Amino acid sequence: MSMWARVAARRLRGAPTKLLWETSPFGYQPLREAVADHLQLARGVRCSWEQVAIVTGVQEALDLAARIFLQPGDRVCVEDPGYVGATRLLEAYGARITGMSVDSEGAVVPRGSVRDVRLAYVTPAHQFPLGVTMSIARRLALLDWARRTDALIFEDDYDSEYRYSGRPIPALQGLDTRGSVIFAGTFSKVLFPSLRLGYLVVPSDLVERIAAVKSLSTRHAPVLEQAILCDFMVEGHFMRHLRRMREVYAERVSVLLDYGRERLGGLLDISPVEAGLQTVGWLPGTVSDVRAAREAAQFDVEVVPLSIYSRKRLEREGLQLGFAAVDPPELRRGVEDLERVLTALTRNTSITPGARRNSTKSRRPRDA
Ligand SMILES: Cc1ncc(COP(=O)(O)O)c(C=O)c1O
């Protein structure tokens, strides 16, 4: 944060008056150029800076796509379980939602019986909430499906920046040859939540149409913040921040996995973590995820029941586990508290925090 403050102070002191004027709906050009360079290198996205729009986040990017491409009654496929904020937004535009199940290779391509799909919303880099990275075979199959059915794909690249193992797989957008993928990501997750800056990469033939709609809604994202972010990227601070935080998170992942497996065997089956800032733990069939999350909250352990992200009943319930904001000692304490809670629940009893110790410290995930 101190580096951000330094870059911001310098930018504000020396801001030329043209930074106080309005800019193009797609945003501050030097930032669009920096984002295009970054996405080409880090995510395998194929784009020119002209295709990059700076938005306030993935939510605005999806809102723009829905405004432009959806008519009430259009069918949209979403992952199930999936990001509820996307489904709610799409429903608000009158979309008919069809769930795509998610397996170990990512979202499953809709079957032939699912017809007239206008848009599919997917999170291939790090499926939300299960954390699976979509395999290359599945990416190609999804693109082939989009070609055959003439559907658009909205690729939400949220939480893609940190990878701990496995080879990086290029974004769907970079594998697409037909201009059927709209790609979006955010800076709020990797920098700080209130930043509210993200990007949308659109096929070249849609640039004008999307710019026209954006100029009628939000006009453009705030220019001074864009200029600060641009300096932060161009001067290399952004990549240094990612490298530094990757090491911090890699340590947290290994504590969660190693200690979790040691203490929670038979109680919570924690999935391996290839990328991102959260994973899932699967519960024994007899334990309700909502109840487990509620009881864990009494110990200030914040875990999210997977069922709140699911449209259909899950075969097995589970908990979403975030590790970004929790240092190793706290992670270990959290694992021990979960062990107490889940042991009690498997015996069909509950345990109160007073039985352990007074905890006042929140383990609510915070971004770095
Ligand atoms: C999977 C996923 N996509 C998108 C968003 C929203 O992104 P933004 O904050 O950039 O609008 C969230 C927020 O939690 C999310 O979990």
Side-chain angles (χ1 to χ4, degrees):
M1 198 63 209
S2 62
M3 183 51 75
W4 178 271
R6 231 177 293 164
V7 172
R10 196 188 55 215
R11 178 44 93 172
L12 293 176
R13 273 197 308 272
T17 18
K18 72 171 193 262
L19 276 190
L20 306 178
W21 297 348
E22 283 206 359
T23 189
S24 128
F26 270 23
Y28 180 60
Q29 185 179 324
L31 177 61
R32 295 168 66 194
E33 291 169 357
V35 170
D37 288 348
H38 170 69
L39 294 179
Q40 283 159 18
L41 266 174
R43 309 290 310 123
V45 169
R46 284 200 285 191
C47 66
S48 66
W49 68 266
E50 286 94 339
Q51 290 169 260
V52 176
I54 303 300
V55 289
T56 55
V58 176
Q59 208 67 28
E60 188 198 344
L62 186 60
D63 183 70
L64 275 170
R67 250 171 227 263
I68 292 167
F69 300 112
L70 293 187
Q71 299 290 337
D74 279 352
R75 187 188 297 281
V76 176
C77 288
V78 301
E79 297 163 331
D80 184 14
Y83 172 49
V84 180
T87 312
R88 293 223 175 104
L89 184 143
L90 294 161
E91 280 171 340
Y93 280 97
R96 273 183 304 144
I97 302 290
T98 298
M100 290 183 277
S101 45
V102 180
D103 65 15
S104 60
E105 292 194 64
V108 174
V109 176
R111 285 193 306 271
S113 55
V114 179
R115 290 177 200 284
D116 308 327
V117 180
R118 181 74 187 115
L119 187 82
Y121 164 88
V122 285
T123 53
H126 187 240
Q127 202 276 334
F128 187 95
L130 300 185
V132 181
T133 300
M134 190 183 278
S135 68
I136 190 91
R138 187 62 60 77
R139 285 171 200 242
L140 295 172
L142 193 62
L143 288 171
D144 184 53
W145 165 83
R147 180 187 56 74
R148 283 186 281 108
T149 59
D150 210 21
L152 283 169
I153 297 176
F154 187 96
E155 179 173 14
D156 177 353
D157 205 47
Y158 193 83
D159 200 11
S160 65
E161 289 79 6
Y162 300 110
R163 169 158 289 280
Y164 313 103
S165 61
R167 281 194 308 156
I169 300 181
L172 269 177
Q173 195 275 1
L175 299 167
D176 174 39
T177 50
R178 297 177 50 246
S180 55
V181 178
I182 296 164
F183 177 91
T186 191
F187 288 107
S188 300
K189 179 92 179 166
V190 278
L191 290 172
F192 50 98
S194 66
L195 179 61
R196 300 307 304 151
L197 285 177
Y199 39 86
L200 170 66
V201 180
V202 299
S204 313
D205 56 334
L206 295 175
V207 166
E208 272 185 34
R209 199 163 149 205
I210 295 180
V213 172
K214 183 152 168 57
S215 77
L216 289 172
S217 52
T218 52
R219 297 243 185 264
H220 58 71
V223 182
L224 280 171
E225 278 82 352
Q226 293 187 61
I228 296 165
L229 176 58
C230 180
D231 292 348
F232 197 76
M233 291 182 82
V234 170
E235 292 168 18
H237 307 304
F238 182 67
M239 285 312 289
R240 273 192 289 280
H241 170 75
L242 291 186
R243 277 196 292 274
R244 191 166 50 81
M245 294 315 294
R246 193 200 154 278
E247 277 177 30
V248 171
Y249 296 142
E251 187 197 358
R252 292 176 186 186
V253 167
S254 64
V255 170
L256 176 65
L257 293 181
D258 296 346
Y259 199 55
R261 281 174 190 151
E262 189 185 318
R263 300 294 294 252
L264 297 169
L267 295 171
L268 195 68
D269 180 8
I270 304 180
S271 294
V273 185
E274 254 190 50
L277 298 177
Q278 41 85 14
T279 186
V280 292
W282 299 101
L283 290 162
T286 49
V287 177
S288 137
D289 59 3
V290 172
R291 178 142 186 232
R294 202 171 46 227
E295 304 254 333
Q298 297 198 41
F299 290 86
D300 290 334
V301 176
E302 191 170 313
V303 289
V304 185
L306 281 185
S307 53
I308 69 164
Y309 301 123
S310 306
R311 301 175 64 77
K312 60 176 189 301
R313 216 184 135 69
L314 289 164
E315 279 169 29
R316 196 174 167 193
E317 295 192 353
L319 302 172
Q320 187 184 36
L321 312 167
F323 48 81
V326 197
D327 65 19
E330 252 193 297
L331 267 174
R332 285 193 197 93
R333 280 198 295 275
V335 165
E336 287 159 16
D337 287 338
L338 270 180
E339 183 188 11
R340 285 186 186 89
V341 165
L342 296 177
T343 304
L345 286 179
T346 49
R347 294 182 188 141
N348 212 13
T349 55
S350 27
I351 150 167
T352 52
R356 194 215 13 143
R357 67 191 162 86
N358 284 333
S359 172
T360 49
K361 198 153 181 224
S362 170
R363 296 195 189 120
R364 194 184 171 78
R366 273 171 278 118
D367 279 351

